[in-house]
Every structure is written in structure tokens, then in C-alpha cells.
Amino acid sequence: MLVVCALSALFTVACHTPTPADRIAKNPVVYGGLSAEHRALVQQGRICKGMSPDAVLLAWGSPNTAPVEGEKDGKKLVRWVYKSYEPVMVTTDWFGAPVCGPRGWCNPYYAGTGTAYVPTDSAYVEFLNGKVSAWERKR
């Protein structure tokens, strides 16, 4: 019974997705250095033009990929990309593996359907000279 409780607690902690409140609690000095307007938006998990990368980290968390750097109108441009996983229905064999494999090979002995999760770009933030200049978040 003790093992079951310990495993249950471990999975509960492992599946927790950090919220803006969690990130603010870990970075109170950074949060305190933001303007009142930016603090209010960060608490809601929102961003706006002119925010610093630190404010975006508090509001949205870290991007899933390395920042992409470039230049726009002679100014430094940095783009952060966030990913999420979208469910896709797949046909599976008796062991739960997808029926079709590489090069179009398909197993004729399928058992039913399952769900696979495919990574997809779900949001981006662009910083021009260290401040948010544009963003998009798919819902």
C-alpha cells in the first residue's frame, strides 16, 4: 500500500504543469522589477508589446526550442517557439503499435484505433532589441 501511495504522489508531482504563479514564486525579484501593468498581465499568463524576455518567461514559461536569432531593419530579432502536442487517431495492431510503418508498409492485422500525440508549433514570441514586438498563440 505504501508503494502505491508513493508512486501516486510521484506521478501527481511529475504531471504538474507550472503556472505563472509558480514561476513568480520562484523568481520574486524578477517579478518585483516589472512595471505594475506587466505584473498584472504576467499573473494572468498574458504578454504585451514592450515586455522583456524575463516577463515572458514568467507569463508563458521557457520556449521548447532554442531561440532563433536574426535581424530586422538593422535591429536584433529573436524568436521563441512554443510547442504543444495534438492528438491524432491512428490504427493500431494487437500490441497497440501503429499499423503503418516506414515507407508505407502496413500490418494487415490491426486491432483497432489509438491516439498518438504529434508535436506542433502552438505559439511564438518575437523580440526586437530585447522587447516583445509580436506574438501569436493558437487556441
Side-chain angles (χ1 to χ4, degrees):
M1 182 66 176
L2 182 59
V3 173
V4 172
C5 290
L7 286 175
S8 175
L10 178 66
F11 286 122
T12 301
V13 171
C15 294
H16 174 71
T17 302
T19 64
D22 296 331
R23 292 186 288 270
I24 290 167
K26 288 183 181 179
N27 301 286
V29 174
V30 172
Y31 179 73
L34 301 177
S35 69
E37 175 192 1
H38 289 181
R39 283 195 306 266
L41 289 170
V42 164
Q43 285 179 338
Q44 299 169 31
R46 296 173 54 204
I47 65 173
C48 70
K49 281 188 177 184
M51 272 188 168
S52 67
D54 286 338
V56 175
L57 283 172
L58 292 175
W60 284 12
S62 298
N64 300 93
T65 60
V68 177
E69 296 183 6
E71 189 175 300
K72 182 177 181 180
D73 300 328
K75 298 176 182 175
K76 181 180 178 183
L77 178 72
V78 177
R79 183 179 176 102
W80 289 1
V81 178
Y82 293 83
K83 295 195 176 289
S84 61
Y85 292 89
E86 292 192 12
V88 177
M89 296 300 289
V90 293
T91 305
T92 60
D93 66 13
W94 292 103
F95 302 104
V99 172
C100 293
R103 299 189 192 113
W105 174 86
C106 290
N107 179 348
Y109 304 105
Y110 67 90
T113 58
T115 305
Y117 293 88
V118 179
T120 183
D121 293 352
S122 58
Y124 77 86
V125 181
E126 286 185 354
F127 299 93
L128 202 53
N129 277 350
K131 300 292 180 185
V132 172
S133 60
W135 74 95
E136 180 180 356
R137 192 173 216 175
K138 299 174 186 172
R139 297 268 173 187

